[in-house]
Amino acid sequence: MSDGAIFAKKPELPLAQHKFAALNGTPEQRKEAMQKLVEGIKLDKMAAFYNRLVAEGVLKEDKALTAELETASTAELAALDKKVEEAKEEHGDLEQNESCIHRAVFLAQIGEDDEAHEAYEEILQRPTTTLNQKLDIV
């Protein structure tokens, strides 16, 4: 997979538009926007983003959905962590960087902004990160 494909749809900008509509639209627009927000959140396992929307009062808390999202995002992170470890043990620097980039992209996708930023910074500081990887991250 090329680096460009990794970053192709992150972050999901339509979700920001749905959030805006949920806060500022007509009653019909709000209902539709909230439904689309939840669909997008489920699709990308966005537990942290969902929790932020609940805290901001955009969405009502659904404990079952929260548990489902946290379980899904935790499982995905565990799989990505395993790939990072495998890359460190069995592959070269390029593959290690790509595995770490995939993990950082997922953190950004689910709304873990601070963790994603730290992961990107770590990758940028590595001497083995290619120019293309650095450009894609920035």
Side-chain angles (χ1 to χ4, degrees):
M1 176 181 284
S2 72
D3 291 341
I6 296 171
F7 295 95
K9 64 176 196 123
K10 309 302 178 220
E12 288 287 347
L13 296 179
L15 291 180
Q17 293 170 330
H18 297 314
K19 177 184 174 186
F20 180 83
L23 290 170
N24 301 300
T26 65
E28 295 100 23
Q29 290 172 328
R30 288 179 181 171
K31 183 177 179 182
E32 181 181 349
M34 285 190 266
Q35 181 180 7
K36 289 185 178 185
L37 266 173
V38 171
E39 288 171 6
I41 288 168
K42 284 182 180 179
L43 181 67
D44 282 341
K45 307 169 187 110
M46 303 173 80
F49 183 65
Y50 174 75
N51 290 334
R52 191 165 45 245
L53 292 178
V54 169
E56 293 172 0
V58 177
L59 296 173
K60 293 182 181 174
E61 185 174 17
D62 178 346
K63 292 193 185 292
L65 178 58
T66 300
E68 174 187 334
L69 292 170
E70 288 177 358
T71 299
S73 62
T74 301
E76 182 75 19
L77 273 175
L80 290 168
D81 287 340
K82 184 177 178 183
K83 287 182 182 180
V84 169
E85 290 304 315
E86 288 174 359
K88 285 179 182 177
E89 294 172 4
E90 302 171 12
H91 300 289
D93 293 334
L94 182 62
E95 291 83 2
Q96 290 177 32
N97 289 343
E98 286 185 9
S99 295
C100 290
I101 289 170
H102 283 281
R103 185 179 186 281
V105 168
F106 182 72
L107 288 168
Q109 170 187 313
I110 63 174
E112 292 287 358
D113 301 335
D114 293 336
E115 287 184 47
H117 186 264
E118 288 174 16
Y120 285 131
E121 284 297 322
E122 177 188 327
I123 296 163
L124 287 171
Q125 299 305 318
R126 292 179 181 176
T128 58
T129 304
T130 66
L131 180 60
N132 284 342
Q133 290 171 331
K134 288 180 181 181
L135 289 171
D136 285 339
I137 289 170
V138 173

